Amino acid sequence: MNSTVWWEGAEKTRVLIAPDSGCGGNEPGELLTLCHPKSENGTCYLFNNGMLQEIQWFKQSYGSWFLGDYISQDGSLYMATPVDPVFILLPIFDKARMKKGEDPGKFRQLDEILYVEGYSGYQHLLALAEKCMEIVCQTQEVGSMKFYRLDNSKVLAWLSFKVCCLKKTLPELDKNYAAQDEQQTLVDAVSIVGEYLKTEPWLKLLYDHLGLEFVDPTMKETNVESLLTVDENNMASSNSFQEKANKKPGKPTKQAKLETGSKNIRDMFSRACKKKC
């Protein structure tokens, strides 16, 4: 049954909660702790009816939930959204092949690959990996046994396909993307896909494969913060100079009234969204 709740904040937003038709089934979901494909930190995922979903946590500064006659002070919201399991399994398969230099590495069975010390959750993904990982792997069969080895060319082809699909979708989701040139949209698409890739080797290889100049995401964030700091300092100096220029002898300088509730511009560049068990 659908239910309606209200979000309380600067602007009230009506949120309609409805069951997801793509997650039907009677089996209860399981929370699995797996390694995040980029940071390698332990992260919670929901595995339900053969579908792997990442859990995201969202919270505004001021918010609460109206649930019937009850008001929940905590206005945070957990969302489970489908994620391509190939992204999550890619680092595990990369390590399992034990590649050295030009040597392509070893073929391994799935139960060996998915045995990760300290992360038993991967064992639940055996059937899922069998369905989805052939797209980025070479396989060999010996009798009734099947062996897998990650293939770089297949991985790059798969990643390029993901980027192209995202590039076509972004202008439909946001008019700002529709207004910019295709090259910048391509860079943005790679940046989004890169949130699930380690810089070495996959993100750099993807930039090179698409003929783009690699930009380190961590350096980009540092440069943005530095630029904002410089702009803020320049603005403060400009305001100080203007005050001195407008100051008349014998009259006290009128103090500028600070706007209450104002936020630092840096806050506009961060999203209130994180993964949390």
Side-chain angles (χ1 to χ4, degrees):
M1 178 179 295
N2 296 350
S3 59
T4 304
V5 296
W6 288 89
W7 185 279
E8 184 183 52
E11 295 182 0
K12 289 186 176 180
T13 305
R14 192 179 185 188
V15 181
L16 182 64
I17 300 178
D20 187 348
S21 58
C23 300
N26 298 321
E27 296 182 10
E30 296 179 275
L31 289 176
L32 307 179
T33 300
L34 309 172
C35 290
H36 190 274
K38 188 174 185 70
S39 67
E40 295 187 329
N41 294 329
T43 306
C44 243
Y45 293 87
L46 176 65
F47 187 55
N48 187 27
N49 296 300
M51 179 186 295
L52 188 64
Q53 302 177 67
E54 56 182 343
I55 299 176
Q56 301 190 34
W57 181 77
F58 178 82
K59 182 176 176 62
Q60 288 185 331
S61 300
Y62 301 96
S64 57
W65 287 107
F66 287 77
L67 307 172
D69 296 330
Y70 173 73
I71 299 178
S72 174
Q73 184 177 359
D74 182 4
S76 63
L77 176 67
Y78 288 90
M79 297 175 288
T81 56
V83 60
D84 195 320
V86 178
F87 281 114
I88 309 303
L89 296 174
L90 187 60
I92 306 303
F93 276 69
D94 190 21
K95 290 180 181 179
R97 62 177 171 170
M98 296 183 285
K99 185 179 183 300
K100 295 181 180 179
E102 298 299 323
D103 180 17
K106 300 180 179 181
F107 284 88
R108 308 281 295 277
Q109 287 183 280
L110 281 181
D111 56 349
E112 291 180 297
I113 297 173
L114 295 180
Y115 177 77
V116 182
E117 187 175 356
Y119 293 92
S120 59
Y122 286 102
Q123 300 296 315
H124 295 267
L125 306 180
L126 187 63
L128 186 61
E130 190 174 2
K131 292 179 182 178
C132 70
M133 291 306 292
E134 282 195 37
I135 196 171
V136 292
C137 290
Q138 295 179 349
T139 59
Q140 287 186 353
E141 294 187 26
V142 180
S144 60
M145 296 183 294
K146 196 169 188 177
F147 299 83
Y148 294 75
R149 182 177 68 189
L150 200 66
D151 183 271
N152 281 18
S153 60
K154 286 190 172 186
V155 173
L156 287 175
W158 176 77
L159 288 173
S160 299
F161 175 76
K162 289 289 186 182
V163 169
C164 289
C165 289
L166 189 55
K167 179 188 171 185
K168 292 179 181 178
T169 304
L170 285 176
E172 299 174 5
L173 299 177
D174 192 330
K175 61 182 180 181
N176 292 325
Y177 287 109
Q180 68 184 15
D181 60 86
E182 290 190 9
Q183 183 74 2
Q184 185 57 49
T185 304
L186 177 62
V187 173
D188 291 340
V190 174
S191 178
I192 293 172
V193 171
E195 294 180 7
Y196 296 88
L197 299 173
K198 296 185 68 174
T199 302
E200 293 283 357
W202 303 118
L203 191 54
K204 284 188 175 181
L205 287 175
L206 181 59
Y207 270 92
D208 184 63
H209 183 71
L210 296 174
L212 299 174
E213 182 181 356
F214 175 72
V215 178
D216 190 342
T218 57
M219 291 297 296
K220 187 175 181 181
E221 291 176 3
T222 302
N223 292 337
V224 169
E225 290 185 359
S226 300
L227 180 61
L228 291 173
T229 302
V230 170
D231 288 343
E232 288 171 358
N233 292 336
N234 289 340
M235 185 178 294
S237 300
S238 177
N239 291 341
S240 177
F241 178 80
Q242 188 67 29
E243 287 178 3
K244 291 180 180 179
N246 295 335
K247 187 175 180 180
K248 296 181 179 180
K251 291 185 179 182
T253 303
K254 186 177 180 180
Q255 296 291 333
K257 184 179 180 181
L258 294 177
E259 183 181 355
T260 59
S262 61
K263 296 183 179 180
N264 192 299
I265 191 171
R266 294 180 186 175
D267 297 335
M268 298 172 62
F269 292 87
S270 62
R271 295 174 59 193
C273 182
K274 66 180 179 180
K275 293 181 175 62
K276 184 177 180 182
C277 283

